[in-house]
Amino acid sequence: MLYPIKVVDIELSRPLTTLDGLDGYMAVQGLLRFHGAPIGYVKAPITNGHCTAQTLSKRILEDHSETIINRLLYNGLSLPLGRESLCLEDLFDVPPPEYKGKLPLVTVAVCTRDRTANLALCLDAIKQLDYPYLDIVVVDNAPTNDSTKKLVETYANIRYICEPRPGLDWARNRAVLEAKGDIIAYTDDDVVVDSAWVKALALVFIKHPDVMAVTGLVVPYELETETQVLFEMYGGFGRGMSRKWYQVNRGNKIHWRLLGTGQFGTGANMAYRRSVFDDIGFFDPALDVGTVTNGGGDLEMFFRVLKEGHTLVYEP
């Protein structure tokens, strides 16, 4: 049996601890973070309801020692000059360099339809975002009742918008029209976002003015069922732990390897400069959930961004 698997976060800048209370689980899958930034996964066995710190440490060093050392050195090199000595252990306490410049207003758009239980978890996480300038909108797509509207009204500083035309891409396009921010970050109503999500996306746009679209990592919230485990086993929505750049000069043919745009990311974690829609058009409402195609609107937009000569970045 492949499931259930306990999903945990493991912060490597803090000492590892034994994981208890794991009776009934087949294994542990840990998302490794270093000062919050994801760097990889570790899978470890469970014995008598426990996964010991020693077991985790052994697996992490076997699979990720080079990545950890590279992160330590990168953060260490950002330190001011003048320290006479610095050992490797000291670097675990050194966070990555922090951006001190101006941050733009970001519109966070959640498109939904009659899924208030999922939406409540999503909005709870969005309210915990570590970002000072947010415009949060919930686009209710052809609802059958007012449950979503009533839920959104319980949250401060979240705007409710009803889009009567059925189809996810109608809802995404309505978000573009209603957005107050120069950057629009989309997530799905069944996603629990990380507190650093918006800032990570925004920094790519800030530091690279040529970038018009940014996608990112999507990891499993839980692996309790066979379906969830198999979905991750056969691809999932994650596209790795390193930044990737995609760009095609306008007018050039797109290489066939770039035609499978699912490799770039997913609509559950994507962001655009609002201005790009003036250049390449809006999402195609003939595609995605709520239409006979039942998908593809996000992928077609990724393709169009590249086809028109713009840069797309995957930022985990």
Side-chain angles (χ1 to χ4, degrees):
M1 188 168 65
L2 301 173
Y3 64 95
I5 297 172
K6 182 64 176 178
V7 174
V8 298
D9 270 18
I10 299 175
E11 175 53 60
L12 296 178
S13 63
R14 296 193 290 266
L16 295 175
T17 59
T18 293
L19 304 176
D20 299 315
L22 301 177
D23 298 281
Y25 285 97
M26 303 299 296
V28 166
Q29 177 170 299
L31 176 63
L32 301 179
R33 297 174 180 267
F34 193 58
H35 292 286
I39 66 169
Y41 290 110
V42 63
K43 293 184 179 179
I46 294 170
T47 304
N48 297 325
H50 308 282
C51 182
T52 67
Q54 291 80 5
T55 298
L56 288 171
S57 177
K58 182 175 183 294
R59 292 295 179 95
I60 291 169
L61 289 175
E62 287 174 349
D63 297 339
H64 300 286
S65 57
E66 182 177 348
T67 300
I68 293 169
I69 290 172
N70 287 338
R71 290 293 178 117
L72 290 172
L73 293 175
Y74 174 80
N75 293 348
L77 289 172
S78 69
L79 290 171
L81 297 176
R83 297 191 63 164
E84 295 182 359
S85 63
L86 194 67
C87 65
L88 196 61
E89 288 79 5
D90 295 332
L91 296 179
F92 277 93
D93 297 325
V94 179
E98 185 177 355
Y99 176 76
K100 300 289 187 180
K102 184 179 179 181
L103 295 170
L105 177 66
V106 175
T107 292
V108 173
V110 183
C111 302
T112 187
R113 185 176 191 266
D114 298 345
R115 301 209 300 180
T116 51
N118 286 334
L119 181 62
L121 285 174
C122 176
L123 295 181
D124 287 345
I126 286 173
K127 293 296 287 185
Q128 299 301 313
L129 284 169
D130 182 18
Y131 194 82
Y133 308 115
L134 290 172
D135 166 42
I136 306 169
V137 298
V138 173
V139 183
D140 197 4
N141 186 218
T144 62
N145 55 60
D146 64 353
S147 59
T148 297
K149 184 175 186 293
K150 289 181 177 179
L151 173 66
V152 174
E153 288 173 348
T154 66
Y155 291 86
N157 301 317
I158 297 182
R159 293 191 286 140
Y160 172 86
I161 299 163
C162 181
E163 171 49 61
R165 291 168 291 189
L168 177 55
D169 282 345
W170 283 118
R172 286 170 172 160
N173 289 339
R174 183 65 180 272
V176 176
L177 295 174
E178 299 283 349
K180 297 178 180 178
D182 292 330
I183 297 168
I184 306 172
Y186 290 93
T187 192
D188 290 345
D189 60 5
D190 58 353
V191 172
V192 178
V193 299
D194 187 86
S195 62
W197 171 56
V198 165
K199 190 170 187 179
L201 295 174
L203 287 177
V204 178
F205 288 112
I206 292 168
K207 296 178 180 179
H208 307 282
D210 59 319
V211 171
M212 289 294 165
V214 180
T215 63
L217 182 66
V218 178
V219 302
Y221 180 71
E222 63 180 23
L223 293 171
E224 301 287 332
T225 68
E226 183 179 20
T227 300
Q228 291 170 330
V229 171
L230 290 175
F231 180 78
E232 292 299 317
M233 184 181 298
Y234 288 98
F237 282 147
R239 297 296 178 262
M241 300 290 174
S242 59
R243 181 182 290 179
K244 301 172 185 176
W245 296 77
Y246 302 96
Q247 197 269 335
V248 177
N249 292 330
R250 187 189 293 261
N252 286 7
K253 290 184 178 180
I254 296 181
H255 195 281
W256 64 267
R257 288 192 180 91
L258 299 180
L259 296 180
T261 54
Q263 66 187 291
F264 306 142
T266 176
N269 182 357
M270 63 180 182
Y272 301 88
R273 293 190 194 274
R274 188 174 56 175
S275 60
V276 77
F277 297 104
D278 296 329
D279 181 37
I280 68 176
F282 285 20
F283 290 92
D284 187 343
L287 301 175
D288 235 303
V289 178
T291 72
V292 293
T293 64
N294 207 37
D298 49 353
L299 306 185
E300 191 272 338
M301 182 57 75
F302 299 158
F303 174 81
R304 223 184 315 156
V305 167
L306 295 179
K307 178 176 177 290
E308 296 302 322
H310 299 300
T311 301
L312 181 151
V313 174
Y314 171 80
E315 172 55 72

